[in-house]
Amino acid sequence: KLATALYGVANGSAPLEVLVPSFGVKSIEQSTPVSDVTNTLTVTLTSNYELKAGSTVTISGLTGSQTADNGALSVTSTSGLLGAAGAWTQGPGQLVLTAASTGTIAGTACEVTFALQNTATDQASPTVNVKADIHGQSGSIGAIAEAAMAKLATALYGVANGSAPLEVLVPSFGILSIEQSTP
């Protein structure tokens, strides 16, 4: 019986060794809740499987952005592990990332940042999900099931839940008044 690691799974080459692929860490946050501005989103993912070259990670539910469809939306990922560009589709708010030649390492966090244009109107943060298609030498070998991402939901610039992805508030004054002391 062989007992070597396979796809980052200890004893993964052993007969009938089974591990359900998952993201142990799947979080997302934003840089600003201000309406109608460029917003940098930061995603952190840690999977229990290696995502080899050609594997895809799909982040969906980022609805309400003004960013138009873009087959090569610029992204920055840890050591380029998930590439330098992703396929963005505005309608479903979906970003598809493809693992680069080195892929990701099981149990090691990979951070991805990308910019979207916030909506011009108030918006509550939508539910954001992530899933992955795991590739091996011969193509797809498995998947990480779609699951909701954890949102950092702290106040940002005085906006409750302002760090939650695509939580948007149009800035305004709450009290408008002017007075004078003498006519």
Side-chain angles (χ1 to χ4, degrees):
K1 163 178 153 174
L2 272 168
T4 59
L6 184 62
Y7 296 102
V9 177
N11 300 318
S13 63
L16 299 177
E17 180 72 25
V18 177
L19 178 67
V20 176
S22 66
F23 286 113
V25 174
K26 49 188 180 298
S27 65
I28 185 167
E29 62 184 278
Q30 70 179 2
S31 65
T32 182
V34 178
S35 63
D36 209 22
V37 299
T38 300
N39 184 3
T40 300
L41 289 108
T42 301
V43 170
T44 304
L45 299 170
T46 304
S47 65
N48 63 352
Y49 264 72
E50 291 176 350
L51 299 178
K52 299 276 189 187
S55 297
T56 58
V57 173
T58 302
I59 301 165
S60 60
L62 293 168
T63 55
S65 163
Q66 295 184 67
T67 304
D69 292 359
N70 183 345
L73 183 75
S74 179
V75 302
T76 301
S77 63
T78 303
S79 301
L81 299 176
L82 289 175
W88 168 255
T89 308
Q90 182 181 19
Q94 178 176 288
L95 179 64
V96 179
L97 305 165
T98 302
S101 60
T102 54
T104 67
I105 300 166
T108 302
C110 182
E111 187 174 277
V112 179
T113 59
F114 55 96
L116 298 177
Q117 183 76 15
N118 277 348
T119 181
T121 59
D122 290 353
Q123 172 178 293
S125 178
T127 299
V128 181
N129 297 305
V130 64
K131 66 181 180 178
D133 183 34
I134 303 169
H135 280 227
Q137 292 177 344
S138 59
S140 181
I141 62 164
I144 296 177
E146 185 172 73
M149 297 187 75
K151 299 186 229 180
L152 183 62
T154 58
L156 185 61
Y157 301 122
V159 176
N161 299 320
S163 60
L166 298 179
E167 176 83 23
V168 177
L169 182 66
V170 176
S172 64
F173 290 107
I175 299 174
L176 302 174
S177 98
I178 188 167
E179 296 178 16
Q180 67 183 24
S181 60
T182 57

